[in-house]
Structure formats: structure tokens, C-alpha cells
Amino acid sequence: MMARLQCRLFLLWIALIAVSGCRQQRPAADAPYPESAMGVALTRIEYPDAEVPSHDTMFPVEAPRTLRDMSDVQYWNLSLEETVRLALVNSPVLRDLGGAVVRAPDTTQTSMDPAIVETNPRFGVEGALSAFDATLLSRLNSERLDRRNNNRFLGQLGFVQGDNNVWDTEIAKRSAMGTRFALRQHIDSLRDNNPGNQFVYPDDAWTVWYEAEARQPLLQGGGLRFNRIAGPGAVPGVNNGVLIARIRTDISLAEFEIALRDFTSNVENAYWDLYYSYRDLDAKVKARDTALETWRRIQALSEAGRRGGEAEKEAQAREQYYRFESEVQDSLAGRPLDGTRTNNGSHPGTFRGLPGVLVNEKRMRLLMGVTPEHSTLIRPADEPFPASVVFDWGSISTEALARRSELRRQRWRIKQRELELLATRNFLLPRLDVVGLYRFRGFGDKLLDPQPGAQFSNAYQDLTTGDFQEWQAGVELGMTLGFRQAYVAVRNAELSLSRDRAILRAQEQEVLYDLAQAIAELDRGFAVMQTNFNRMIAARQQVAAVQAAFEDDGVQFLAVLDAQRRQAENEAAYYRSRVEYAVGIKNVHFEKGTLLDYLGVACSEGPWPDEAYNDATRKEASRGFFWRPRSRPPVVSTGTSTAVESPFPVQGQLPGPLPTEGGMGPTNAMPLPPPRPLPDDGSTAFIQFSTNDPAGQQFPPPGTAASEVAYRTREFQIDPQVQRAANEAAAILAQP
């Protein structure tokens, strides 16, 4: 009765503990208690207790410069090369200009992403290799015996009482062929009052054995190829072998290269946006100053009561001045609109030509990772390239299909699908394992005895004699009747492979389409730049002629205002076309996969520790002496995707710098001729420039040495991957 009462009290105590653990904590006494417990979680927003490093240098000390305060401006002249270098040094986060780093931080690429993928404990390379690591398992159990034996011959002696202690230890390792090796140790001591015991109670009976076991799959789960693709213990549809993990790392490297390419493209886009905003501001300022001078002249005539100083003319001149003044203000301050960036009409970015020095300067500082400063403004030091650049379509189309990071990423995915299909077909085989085991046993009154006596005096002495040895050999067969899951897994792998191959074909077609668009845009930009240059020269000459005629009362005053307005528009249009042409050259390199080389950016991976190289050398050296597996892992890569620079013969000539007037550009008409056909000397691209003006005068003057510029393009090492890409490009281009 007492035992039942104690049992009920014990169960009641456990129930009270469980109820108290599930009870919701009541809010503090000074806090109002809501009507429902759900209100506490929904109405209170807490701040995380996260340890965040401090970056005081990222916060500006002074307020940013605005349109109201433009005094004491100092300029920081930056070249494009220096801008890209500073952006890469200061930007571990490869941001874009769309605000994704704040809006969607999980999709933002950083310089740490490839390392994060490789060090993933589940899907990384080291995580996949850990399946082949040796494991240690040790168990120690102690048991109290108190039972009645069902034996009528023993009678009252059938009560068995005693202790049983068991200690098992195992070291197991799986090889690359799928073989599981195990070495085990078993020690147990049994002490009971069984009347048939050799050692009378309370003495212990010690049993020791050491055994080695090997289990080799012959069909399903066996082989070097399967275990390196799917990993040991894989199931249909789940592949996490070393080769698959390595491909995931290669895919992450390709994605990082894509993000780095887009980032550098945005840096150059922002650079030329800022360049255009300065040039547009210069044109607007010059037009405003000209309009101010005209207004003052008309106002002076009006005050003197002379002809030409009528009230309507003065009002028109004043309106013209304030119009240009408002355009100067807009061109200086700008508006926070979407500028030139990737995927805004084209993948590398279509030039928007939005004015605004301050807005574009802040945008470029954001990409460079430089804090805004009140006293300094960044000003581009490089000029857009004015010469004609011609690309050979056959060369760049083949280069695009071989070097575009998106295509390389998709090819890695196809290779992953091919390996997964090979591994999945292994599950169509039955499970047939060969098992072998060998054991040494020992038995004795004691486990160890420094003074050994007769047989069975201690277990380890009996073990070392080798009198008791056991072995076991067998074959195990297991299979699922029908292989339904295996067949559907194979079908799924085949469909996934077909899908990725179809996506690659569509990507190749789109890459060639985008490249053709970039080439057409480059040609349009050069032709428009020639036209706008001549328009600008004609507009300047028109302003000079109209003003001279107006002073002689030969033309109407409206013609003067219209000519001044046209001059400002044509100058802005000319520099816009120059920037469009510079962006077009960059876009061609973007589309053919050589933008990083074009900007002098290279990606490199840090070295492994010296111990890793030494360990790999020892393992590779020892592998060739005594055993090499018959099956080899499938080939995954055909080598690095590096390019070899090769200079080409010089074609065309470049004159000296264009004559400028106050930094505003050329002052004499110099139409640029259309591109000449490609030479037949083996070169793939060349640069040329016009050397004559419309009047027939040679420019530069006779006796001035013209600089020769060689346009350096890229060649590839002839390897199977590039040759295959070239064949695919030829097949695509041959399609109607």
C-alpha cells in the first residue's frame, strides 16, 4: 500500500513540473497586461542584442554638399583605373545601384560567398570528405541482475543476482571504394550466483575479444565513381559526394565572377555618368553666361533708348537667361533618378545621360566605398575614347561562348546533372555485400594479472595465446522489388539534364543576340558621335555669324536666342554621344566576357596551408606503390579558363590631343570617316582615327609625329572546351 502511494506521489510531482514548464511567463508588474497573450508578441518590437563591429570612418563628419553651398570646392581628379581599384579595395560587398543590399541582403554577393559555399558543413567539399573520416565509438554499460530462472531443477537456487559490466569500443572508416573497415574491442565482466559458474560468486568472469570486419558492396553502393559522386550511404535523389561538392564551389566562383563583373561595369557606368554631368554642366554654364551677356547688352540698349532695346526683346533675353540658369541648377544638383546600371535596357547597362554632378558624385562614392565629403568633389580625369574600334565577329562570338561566366556556370550545372545521372543508375542494382570478420577471444578470472598463473587466470593472457579464434565470411543480398524509386530517380535525373542542356542552348543564343546588339550600338554610337561633333561645330559657327549679323541689324533677335539655345543643346548632345560610345566599347567587352580583362581586374584564390600540400604529396606518392583502383573518377574539368595576351600589328594612326578651348572640346570641324574594312594580315581588331579636316589641312600639322596604338585582344589556349565552344558557335551561326 505504501509503495502504491509513493508511486502516485511521484507521478503527481512529474505532472506539476511539466505544467509549470509550459506555463507562459507573466509580464512585469509595471507593464499593462493585455487582454490576450498574443498581444504581447504582436505589439512589442524588440532590438536584437547582436555584436556588430563599429565603423566610425563610414559616417561623414560634415553635412553633404548641396546646391545652396558651392563655395570653396576642391576637386579630386580620378582616372577610371584608379576608380575601379579603389572600388574593389573598399567594397567587400559587391553592391548594385538598385538598393538590393538593403532590400534583399540575402541575394547580395560578397567576396566571402565562395568561401562560405566551400566551407558549408553539409554541402561543401570538406563536409563531403568528412563522410570518409574515421569514427570512434565507445560504450560503457553497467547492469544489475536480479531475476528468477525458469528452471525446476534448480529449485530455490533459480534466483540469479549479480552485476554485468560491458565496455565496447569501435574505430570504423569507409574507403573511397565504399568498403567499410571496423576494428572493435569488447570487454565484459559478469558476476552472478549461477550455480553452474566456473568462478564461484563473488568472483568475476572476464571476457575479452578483438575483431576486425570488412564490408564491401559489389553492386549498389560500390565503386570509386559512385562514392565520389553520391557519397557513402546515399539515397536516390540525394547526392552529396566530393565531386558534386566541388562543382558547387565552382558554380559559386562563377556567380562571384558574374557579380564582380556587374560591379565593375556599374563602377564604369557611374564614372561616365559623372563625366557627362560635368560636361553637361559646362555646356549649360557657357550657355547661361552667353545669355547673361546678351541680356546685359539688350538692357544697355534699352536704358540708352536705342534700337534693339525694346521691352519685348529685353524680356525675351531675360527669360532665356533664367531658363539656362534653371538648367545649370538642375545640371549641378541633379535628381535621384535611376542612372546607368546593369540590366536597365541591356545587361551591361544603357547610358541614361541624366544630369546632376552632386547626385552622380554621391552615387560613385557609394560604389567606391568612400564617404561623402563637404570640401571635395570627385572629377573624372579620363576622356572617352574617340577612335573607331572594330571587332571581328567570328572571333568575338566564339570568345563570348567560351568566356561568358553565365555559360560557364550553366556548363558546370550540366556536368553536375551528368554525374548525378551516373550515380542514380547505380540504384537500379541490388544490394550485394561481401562481409568478412576475424576475432581473437580471451577468458579469465581477472582482466589483467601481473603474476599470471594457470589457464584462464586472466583474460588478456588467454587472448595472447591465440587458442580461441573465430572468423566469419558471408554474402548479403537485399533489393526492392520493382525498383520504383530508383527508376523514377533515373527519369528525374534525365529530365533535369535535358532541361539544363536546353537552357544552355537558349543562353548561347541570347548571348549572341546581346553581343550583336552591343556591336550595333557601338557602331551607332560612333556614327552619332561624328554627326554630333559636326553639329556642335556648325552651331558654334552659327552663333558667331548670327551675333555678328545682329550687331549689324541683319537678323532678328529671336534668331540669336535660338542659335544660343541650339549651341548649348548640341554641345551636350556631342558629349552625350561620346559617353555613349565609351559605354558601348565597355558593353562589347561585357557581352563577350572580357570586361574584367579590359579593366585590368583579375580573380585569384588564396593558397592552401603548406601542411595540406605535403599531405596530398605523401598520399599521392604512396598510392602508386602498392595499389591503384581499377575505376577512375569521371573527368570534371578541362583546365583553367585563362587567356593569353598577344599583340597584333599596328593599324591606323592617332593624332595628338584635340585642340580645346577652356576644356570644352575641339574647336575645328574634323569629321570622322566610317571604319575601314578589316586587314588581311591576321589581326582581329584595330584602332583608327581621321587625319584630315574638311578644308584638306592635315591634322596634326606636318612634322608632328603621330602616335601609333596597337589594340590588344585576347587569344585562348587550344583545349577541348574552347574547341567545343567554337564548334557550337559555328553551328549556331549557321542556323537560318
Side-chain angles (χ1 to χ4, degrees), residues 616-635:
T617 302
R618 288 194 301 269
K619 288 185 177 180
E620 183 65 23
S622 62
R623 182 185 300 175
F625 286 116
F626 61 95
W627 177 75
R628 283 186 179 272
R630 287 186 178 181
S631 60
R632 290 291 180 185
V635 178

Side-chain angles (χ1 to χ4, degrees), residues 71-114:
S71 60
D72 299 331
V73 177
Q74 298 179 359
Y75 293 103
W76 180 13
N77 297 322
L78 274 180
S79 63
L80 179 59
E81 180 181 359
E82 184 68 13
T83 302
V84 174
R85 189 188 69 82
L86 290 176
L88 294 178
V89 170
N90 298 328
S91 300
V93 177
L94 304 179
R95 66 172 74 244
D96 63 353
L97 295 176
V101 67
V102 177
R103 184 182 65 256
D106 293 337
T107 61
T108 303
Q109 281 281 342
T110 67
S111 59
M112 289 81 74
D113 287 356

Side-chain angles (χ1 to χ4, degrees), residues 197-252:
N197 289 341
Q198 179 178 355
F199 304 110
V200 183
Y201 184 84
D203 291 340
D204 293 335
W206 291 86
T207 303
V208 178
W209 76 64
Y210 285 88
E211 65 180 17
E213 181 185 14
R215 176 183 292 268
Q216 172 62 51
L218 298 180
L219 298 178
Q220 185 184 128
L224 186 65
R225 174 183 297 178
F226 174 82
N227 285 276
R228 289 191 174 181
I229 296 175
V235 296
V238 180
N239 299 281
N240 194 30
V242 179
L243 295 180
I244 299 298
R246 178 261 169 95
I247 289 179
R248 292 195 189 102
T249 302
D250 290 320
I251 291 176
S252 68

Side-chain angles (χ1 to χ4, degrees), residues 282-292 324 564-565 567-568:
D282 291 341
K284 297 294 192 304
V285 169
K286 181 180 291 187
R288 181 200 62 184
D289 295 342
T290 304
L292 178 60
F324 285 136
Q564 293 176 354
R565 185 165 52 251
Q567 179 183 1

Side-chain angles (χ1 to χ4, degrees), residues 523-544:
D523 184 70
R524 183 202 67 83
F526 182 74
V528 172
M529 182 179 66
Q530 290 177 312
T531 304
N532 287 335
F533 178 81
N534 294 324
R535 283 180 56 192
M536 181 182 66
I537 299 302
R540 289 180 179 180
Q541 295 174 353
Q542 181 187 13
V543 169

